[in-house]
């Protein structure tokens, strides 16, 4: 038996924590216990921090804001391709809570407009207020009083008029009287540039526990043919309305109110199937212990299941505390990810501002074919949804002055009742009529529509953006991801060995080449843990280091020391004589003594190494364990066929280079393989990534992989946004500069050396994105013939049997043309 230590299941551990029982204490860590959970605050730490208005920040808030993981790169020239988030598929949304003057709509309207002026200055495109924000939610029977309803109506008109000069689409809450004045509806009013785009009544009215809403309000689920009184006219209710914003592609807005998200089938679920991409929720929701987490659970689930964004704003300061309390919670979710939230129980206005990636939502739905299948299943139920109204965020706009009968639709039926003819003044215009007026306006002014739709500069992206999208910044999440990645790799190899008789001593053996580099080092760690789980001695792992013409003693020594520390069998096999003979037989200049170090020279060495490994595996009853990683496969940085491209089973093919470094750091931190191995692992991490195939002349720098093909940090960023997000090169370049343009901004992963921190200019990003694109397309033939390997990351794999299918002879022409035309190189 090997004398090397046999570690327990490698997982995050609570070092120093007490064991729950004697039995648990006697178990090796992780054998029958789940991995350490992330701390309760993890989700907030990992999300974009709240961004309240600067005018409402305390000194503590300002100090905290400096530490937030938000990009800082900004371009003020409107013609710059990176000046506005709206040019890259984003929507800036704000979830607002503010002190309510209970029963005083006029004061509340002023407070709304004060906040809206601040949001307008921050180029917010969508602003969402709490339920009944113009009156207060906790009015009880006062909500049925005529003076209050009159004042609420006037407050809506006040905001409507002021909105002509404000950028955001405004969603606020107000009670509104039915046309026959016999009932009241709890409404969300959608306003933009002097027009009312929709009035959504609350559909599900709670009358249980502390709630008593059916005492005051009529349910709005069947109110699609109802109208409410506004400015002496009648405006249609739009319980099933979806609002399209024509100059923000992908933005289709749906509104629900508080309890609507608590029912088994919320309106937002059907609205998403009908096309809505952003749902907003105006909430009263008094606070009790645990309810804040419940709200986030429901919103996160809704946004994840419907592949949408969910913007939530709850009532807070100023609501009655006769029997209840209020916390003013606000947050924004996108496809299950928390983009931002504010602190609860605030004094004064607070708002979460976050930039929603509409392109991501559209791409996820396009990719997930079951989303549309589900739509077909519920097609009959979805017939009630309509695009009631459309608008343009950046103009031109049309306004509808209350009381201006000349603004009625031209196609109104002449025989219809005069009272009913007033409704279309505010609502009910179809997109065709709006587009006709839009075109007529353009023809009349002589100004092309697109000239009026240039988004303003927006400053930096207002969402957390990872430099390393495959590597979480949060230490607890990173430890969890490393545990899961390592366990997936080990489980894959254990299953493969078990299937071919390697589940018992003397069975099929893992055979791998070790170079002292990152990939082979990590593959050896995976093999070692697999042998532990199979109950086999690690000496049955057959490792070979095969020095070539550029191998250094440093890397060769690391390979031997690590193999020995792990307890694997180790042997040195010098390939130089065989390589020299092959080059001579090929009549290569190096065979005649010339210093010609071309691709052939490199591939002869790489190919011979794997030729030996495959033959050794045949001879000794083993399988070649592949060491190549996901980043190398994306770039084609591997020798095709009998080379590091091929193996009997790959363990690293689902792991990018940037994560492998952290996996090794995690192994060190968890002390899985003992002190002897830990020292060697750190030495491997400290070694520059190099293939060691070209000899280094005296005074020259040794061959560097990243000097040849570019920084893996950028390439992994490009790969993630291509493979997982489906982003085009122009958007990818914009995001890369936001993430990498300022070395001082944002967060760096745990364990990342300060000396390695750097930034990239737009010229560097454009250059390496061009390199990535060319290599990614030209090397698909290698990915089309990949050996088996487990998928590890939700970010995807490149297996032709898994996430990625692509013709090997496709051209990158369209992608390169976009880089040349739309990616700045200054």
């Amino acid at each position: 038996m090997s004398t090397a230590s046999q570690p327990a299941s490698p997982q995050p551990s609570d070092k120093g924590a007490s064991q729950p029982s004697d039995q648990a204490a006697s178990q090796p860590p992780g054998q029958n216990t789940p991995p350490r959970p992330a701390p309760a605050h993890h989700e907030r730490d990992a999300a974009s921090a709240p961004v309240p208005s600067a005018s409402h920040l305390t000194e503590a808030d300002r100090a905290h804001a400096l530490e937030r993981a938000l990009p800082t790169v900004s371009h003020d020239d409107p013609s710059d391709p990176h000046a506005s988030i709206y040019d890259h598929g984003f929507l800036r949304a704000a979830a607002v809570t503010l002190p309510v003057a209970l029963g005083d709509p006029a004061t509340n309207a002023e407070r709304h407009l004060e906040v809206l002026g601040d949001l307008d200055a921050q180029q917010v495109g969508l602003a969402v207020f709490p339920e009944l924000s113009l009156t207060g939610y906790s009015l009880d029977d006062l909500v049925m009083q005529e003076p209050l309803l009159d004042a609420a109506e006037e407050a809506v008109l006040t905001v409507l008029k002021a909105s002509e000069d404000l950028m955001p689409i405004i969603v606020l809450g107000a009670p509104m009287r039915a046309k026959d004045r016999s009932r009241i509806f709890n409404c969300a009013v959608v306003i933009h540039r002097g027009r009312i785009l929709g009035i959504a009544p609350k559909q599900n009215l709670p009358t249980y526990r502390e709630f008593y809403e059916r005492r005051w309000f009529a349910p709005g689920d069947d109110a699609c043919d109802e109208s409410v009184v506004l400015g002496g006219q009648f405006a249609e209710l739009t319980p099933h309305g979806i609002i399209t914003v024509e100059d923000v592609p992908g933005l289709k807005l749906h509104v629900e109110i508080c309890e609507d998200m608590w029912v088994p089938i919320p309106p937002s679920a059907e609205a998403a199937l009908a096309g809505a991409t952003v749902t907003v929720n105006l909430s009263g929701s008094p606070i009790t212990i645990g309810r804040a987490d419940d709200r986030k659970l429901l919103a996160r689930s809704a946004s994840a299941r419907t592949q949408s964004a969910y913007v939530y704003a709850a009532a807070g300061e100023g609501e009655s505390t006769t029997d209840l309390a209020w916390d003013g919670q606000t947050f924004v979710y996108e496809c299950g990810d928390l983009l931002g939230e504010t602190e609860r129980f605030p004094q004064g206005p607070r708002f979460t501002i976050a930039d929603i990636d509409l392109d991501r939502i559209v791409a996820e739905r396009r990719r997930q074919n079951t989303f549309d299948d589900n739509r077909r299943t519920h097609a009959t139920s979805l017939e009630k949804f309509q695009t009631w109204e459309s608008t343009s965020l950046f103009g031109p706009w049309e306004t509808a002055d209350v009381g201006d009968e000349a603004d009625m639709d031209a196609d109104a039926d002449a025989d219809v009742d005069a009272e009913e003819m007033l409704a279309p003044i505010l609502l009910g215009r179809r997109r065709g009529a709006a587009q006709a007026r839009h075109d007529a306006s353009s023809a009349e002014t002589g100004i092309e529509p697109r000239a009026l739709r240039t988004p303003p500069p927006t400053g930096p992206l207002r969402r957390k953006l990872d430099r390393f999208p495959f590597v979480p910044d949060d230490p607890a999440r990173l430890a969890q991801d490393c545990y899961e990645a390592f366990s997936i790799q080990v489980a894959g190899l254990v299953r493969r060995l078990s299937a071919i008789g390697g589940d018992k001593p003397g069975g099929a053996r893992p055979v791998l080449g070790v170079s002292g580099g990152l990939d082979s080092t990590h593959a050896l760690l995976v093999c070692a843990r697999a042998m532990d789980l199979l109950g086999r001695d690690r000496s049955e792992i057959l490792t070979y280091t095969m020095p070539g013409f550029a191998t250094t003693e440093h890397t060769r020594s690391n390979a031997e020391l690590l193999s020995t520390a792990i307890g694997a069998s180790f042997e040195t096999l010098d390939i130089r004589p065989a390589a020299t003979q092959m080059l001579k037989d090929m009549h290569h200049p190096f065979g005649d003594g010339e210093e010609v170090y071309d691709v052939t020279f490199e591939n002869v060495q790489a190919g011979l190494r794997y030729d030996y490994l495959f033959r050794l595996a045949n001879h000794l009853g083993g399988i070649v364990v592949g060491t190549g990683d996901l980043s190398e496969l994306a770039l084609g940085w591997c020798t095709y066929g009998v080379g590091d491209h091929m193996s009997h089973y790959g363990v690293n093919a689902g792991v990018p280079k940037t994560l492998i470094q952290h996996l090794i750091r995690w192994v060190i931190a968890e002390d899985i393989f003992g002190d002897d191995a830990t020292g060697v692992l750190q030495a491997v991490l400290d070694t520059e990534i190099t293939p060691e195939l070209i000899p280094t002349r005296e005074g020259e720098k040794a061959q560097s992989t990243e000097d040849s093909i570019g920084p893996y940090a950028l390439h992994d960023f490009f790969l993630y946004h291509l493979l997982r997000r489906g982003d085009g090169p122009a958007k990818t370049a914009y995001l890369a500069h936001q993430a990498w343009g300022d070395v001082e901004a944002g967060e760096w992963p745990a364990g990342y050396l300060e000396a390695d921190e750097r930034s990239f200019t737009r010229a560097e990003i454009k250059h390496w994105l061009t390199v990535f694109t060319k290599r990614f397309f030209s090397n698909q033939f290698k990915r089309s013939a990949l050996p088996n390997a487990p998928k590890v990351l939700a970010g995807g794999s490149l297996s032709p049997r898994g996430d990625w299918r692509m013709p090997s002879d496709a051209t990158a022409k369209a992608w390169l043309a976009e880089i040349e035309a739309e990616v700045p190189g200054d």
Side-chain angles (χ1 to χ4, degrees):
M1 292 289 289
S2 167
T3 59
S5 61
Q6 307 290 308
S9 177
Q11 65 170 53
S13 61
D14 272 322
K15 290 183 172 63
S18 60
Q19 295 290 341
S21 66
D22 292 340
Q23 181 181 9
S26 67
Q27 291 283 348
Q31 291 290 358
N32 294 300
T33 56
R36 179 183 63 189
H41 64 274
H42 160 69
E43 185 179 40
R44 177 166 185 166
D45 287 347
S48 174
V51 189
S53 164
S55 61
H56 302 300
L57 286 175
T58 65
E59 288 301 318
D61 287 331
R62 290 190 179 94
H64 179 57
L66 297 176
E67 301 173 1
R68 292 172 180 153
L70 295 175
T72 61
V73 178
S74 180
H75 300 278
D76 297 327
D77 181 357
S79 65
D80 190 297
H82 289 176
S84 176
I85 64 162
Y86 292 100
D87 285 328
H88 298 282
F90 291 96
L91 164 70
R92 181 159 292 171
V96 183
T97 189
L98 72 174
V100 64
L102 196 60
D104 185 359
T107 298
N108 290 325
E110 292 176 3
R111 293 178 180 179
H112 279 62
L113 293 175
E114 179 183 350
V115 170
L116 285 166
D118 201 342
L119 298 180
D120 177 79
Q122 299 185 61
Q123 298 81 43
V124 168
L126 173 66
V128 182
F129 291 86
E131 182 177 5
L132 296 176
S133 59
L134 286 179
T135 60
Y137 174 82
S138 52
L139 286 170
D140 294 342
D141 288 355
L142 290 177
V143 79
M144 295 188 290
Q145 294 290 308
E146 288 292 312
L148 180 88
L149 295 170
D150 287 341
E153 187 178 326
E154 287 300 319
V156 171
L157 296 176
T158 297
V159 177
L160 177 66
K161 178 62 177 175
S163 71
E164 295 178 7
D165 299 319
L166 295 170
M167 177 178 170
I169 297 169
I170 304 161
V171 190
L172 52 76
M176 305 193 77
R177 289 167 288 202
K179 175 181 174 181
D180 58 11
R181 304 174 69 89
S182 63
R183 294 303 304 270
I184 301 170
F185 290 96
N186 179 345
C187 295
V189 186
V190 186
I191 297 171
H192 190 231
R193 295 289 184 176
R195 296 174 58 217
I196 292 182
L197 304 180
I199 301 178
K202 188 171 185 176
Q203 299 189 38
N204 297 278
L205 301 177
T207 307
Y208 59 88
R209 294 201 299 267
E210 68 264 36
F211 301 107
Y212 215 162
E213 289 192 27
R214 274 188 179 254
R215 178 184 177 97
W216 310 302
F217 300 113
D221 56 330
D222 60 352
C224 55
D225 295 323
E226 296 288 338
S227 298
V228 291
V229 179
L230 183 58
Q233 301 179 37
F234 302 113
E236 298 174 18
L237 292 178
T238 58
H240 311 302
I242 297 175
I243 297 166
T244 298
V245 182
E246 295 174 344
D247 53 359
V248 183
L251 176 53
K252 295 181 183 295
L253 179 67
H254 175 73
V255 180
E256 62 185 15
I257 302 176
C258 200
E259 184 74 13
D260 289 339
M261 83 170 183
W262 293 79
V263 297
I265 303 177
S268 57
E270 291 187 326
L273 292 176
T277 55
V278 176
T279 291
V280 302
N281 187 300
L282 296 76
S283 178
S285 191
I287 188 61
T288 55
I289 292 174
R291 185 171 289 177
D293 287 339
D294 291 342
R295 297 171 188 152
K296 291 174 68 176
L297 175 65
L298 291 171
R300 182 183 185 188
S301 174
S303 70
R305 284 185 294 101
T306 62
Q307 301 290 5
S308 66
Y310 204 95
V311 183
Y312 180 93
E317 185 182 2
E319 293 286 358
S320 172
T321 56
T322 300
D323 290 301
L324 298 167
W326 318 82
D327 66 339
Q329 185 176 30
T330 73
F331 53 74
V332 179
Y333 275 94
E334 173 192 291
C335 298
D337 295 334
L338 180 64
L339 299 187
E341 63 179 337
T342 51
E343 76 275 20
R344 296 189 294 126
F345 305 101
Q347 297 293 309
R350 291 292 187 276
F351 33 89
T352 300
I353 297 179
D355 292 344
I356 295 168
D357 191 343
L358 298 169
D359 288 347
R360 176 191 182 188
I361 293 169
V362 173
E364 291 292 337
R365 292 182 177 184
R366 183 183 297 138
R367 184 181 295 111
Q368 185 182 335
N369 63 289
T370 51
F371 185 94
D372 192 59
D373 290 343
N374 199 226
R375 177 198 60 79
R376 293 189 300 106
T377 300
H378 297 276
T380 301
S381 179
L382 303 183
E383 290 176 358
K384 60 181 177 284
F385 286 92
Q386 303 178 57
T387 299
W388 277 86
E389 194 57 276
S390 64
T391 189
S392 296
L393 197 60
F394 310 112
W397 308 286
E398 54 180 329
T399 59
D401 294 329
V402 175
D404 182 5
E405 297 185 15
D407 195 36
M408 296 183 202
D409 280 345
D411 58 353
D413 188 342
D415 295 328
V416 75
D417 184 271
E419 186 178 65
E420 295 179 357
M421 290 175 63
L422 296 174
I425 295 175
L426 296 176
L427 290 170
R429 296 185 177 118
R430 296 300 180 259
R431 294 183 63 187
Q435 187 63 50
R437 286 190 290 273
H438 179 147
D439 295 342
S441 175
S442 300
E444 181 178 343
T445 61
I447 301 175
E448 290 295 326
R450 290 195 62 82
L452 297 175
R453 295 181 179 177
T454 301
T458 57
L461 194 63
R462 302 286 284 270
R463 61 187 278 145
K464 183 176 182 294
L465 182 61
D466 292 323
R467 288 182 174 90
F468 299 93
F470 293 115
V471 182
D473 295 331
D474 178 66
R477 182 72 258 173
L478 177 57
Q480 182 74 13
D481 283 9
C482 288
Y483 159 72
E484 291 186 357
F486 191 74
S487 298
I488 290 168
Q489 293 175 275
V490 170
L493 183 58
V494 165
R495 172 60 186 147
R496 180 52 53 96
L497 287 171
S498 298
I500 57 175
D503 56 344
K504 53 186 179 296
R509 305 175 181 184
V511 176
L512 72 159
V514 288
S515 66
L518 288 171
D519 292 344
S520 64
T521 292
H522 185 62
L524 176 55
L525 301 179
V526 172
C527 289
R529 183 60 197 149
M531 297 299 272
D532 295 345
L533 295 181
L534 289 168
R536 298 176 60 184
D537 193 82
R538 294 183 195 160
S539 63
E540 294 191 81
I541 304 171
L542 306 180
T543 65
Y544 297 86
T545 191
M546 292 170 278
F549 298 113
T551 302
T552 64
E553 178 57 26
H554 173 71
T555 56
R556 194 214 65 79
S557 175
N558 282 344
E560 181 175 3
L561 290 172
L562 181 62
S563 297
T564 301
I566 291 296
S569 297
F570 174 81
E571 187 173 338
T572 298
L573 201 164
D574 191 343
I575 66 166
R576 287 173 291 185
T580 300
Q581 184 62 50
M582 179 177 286
L583 290 166
K584 283 182 179 180
D585 294 342
M586 294 169 59
H587 305 294
H588 187 276
F590 183 85
D592 295 327
E594 297 183 37
E595 293 185 354
V596 176
Y597 306 134
D598 56 9
V599 173
T600 301
F601 175 81
E602 295 186 57
N603 283 346
V604 162
Q605 297 173 76
L608 272 173
R609 284 172 175 147
Y610 270 77
D611 200 358
Y612 273 117
L613 289 175
F614 274 102
R615 304 297 79 78
L616 286 165
N618 294 155
H619 180 58
L620 300 172
I623 62 169
V624 176
V625 176
T627 62
D629 63 49
L630 185 69
S631 307
E632 293 177 342
L633 292 172
L635 295 162
W637 191 248
C638 53
T639 301
Y640 185 72
V642 183
D644 53 328
H645 162 260
M646 192 50 61
S647 65
H648 289 115
Y649 191 75
V651 293
N652 290 340
V655 185
K657 187 78 74 178
T658 49
L659 181 56
I660 281 184
Q661 298 177 54
H662 289 279
L663 282 166
I664 295 175
R665 289 190 180 102
W666 173 76
V667 167
I668 293 173
E670 294 294 316
D671 194 25
I672 294 172
F673 293 101
D675 292 342
D676 292 343
T678 293
V680 186
L681 293 176
Q682 188 58 56
V684 171
L685 287 173
D686 295 339
T687 301
E688 183 171 8
I689 301 171
T690 172
E692 289 193 326
L693 294 171
I694 297 178
T696 303
R697 298 181 180 91
E698 186 175 351
E700 292 182 342
K701 181 184 177 182
Q703 184 184 16
S704 166
T705 297
E706 292 189 305
D707 286 349
S708 300
I709 61 173
Y712 277 114
L714 274 185
H715 286 316
D716 280 0
F717 188 94
F718 300 153
L719 176 61
Y720 177 87
H721 285 278
L722 179 148
L723 185 62
R724 182 65 187 89
R725 292 285 187 253
D727 293 331
K731 181 168 184 175
T732 299
Y734 167 73
L735 293 173
H737 194 227
Q738 287 287 308
W740 286 94
D742 182 356
V743 71
E744 299 296 334
E747 298 176 351
W748 295 86
Y752 199 83
L753 299 179
E754 184 175 353
D756 293 334
E757 296 177 3
R758 63 162 298 182
S759 61
F760 293 100
T761 66
R762 294 201 289 188
E764 290 173 312
I765 290 169
K766 182 172 185 175
H767 170 72
W768 291 121
L769 180 58
T770 302
V771 170
F772 174 86
T773 303
K774 289 179 178 178
R775 293 193 66 96
F776 187 84
F777 272 80
S778 63
N779 284 283
Q780 173 60 29
F781 74 98
K782 296 179 181 179
R783 299 189 291 270
S784 295
L786 284 182
N788 295 172
K791 177 179 176 178
V792 174
L793 293 159
S797 77
L798 289 170
S799 168
R801 301 167 298 276
D803 282 6
W804 190 252
R805 291 162 178 81
M806 171 181 171
S808 297
D809 47 9
T811 176
K813 185 176 180 179
W815 283 259
L816 294 172
E818 182 172 307
I819 294 174
E820 183 60 30
E822 301 182 36
V823 177
D826 57 327

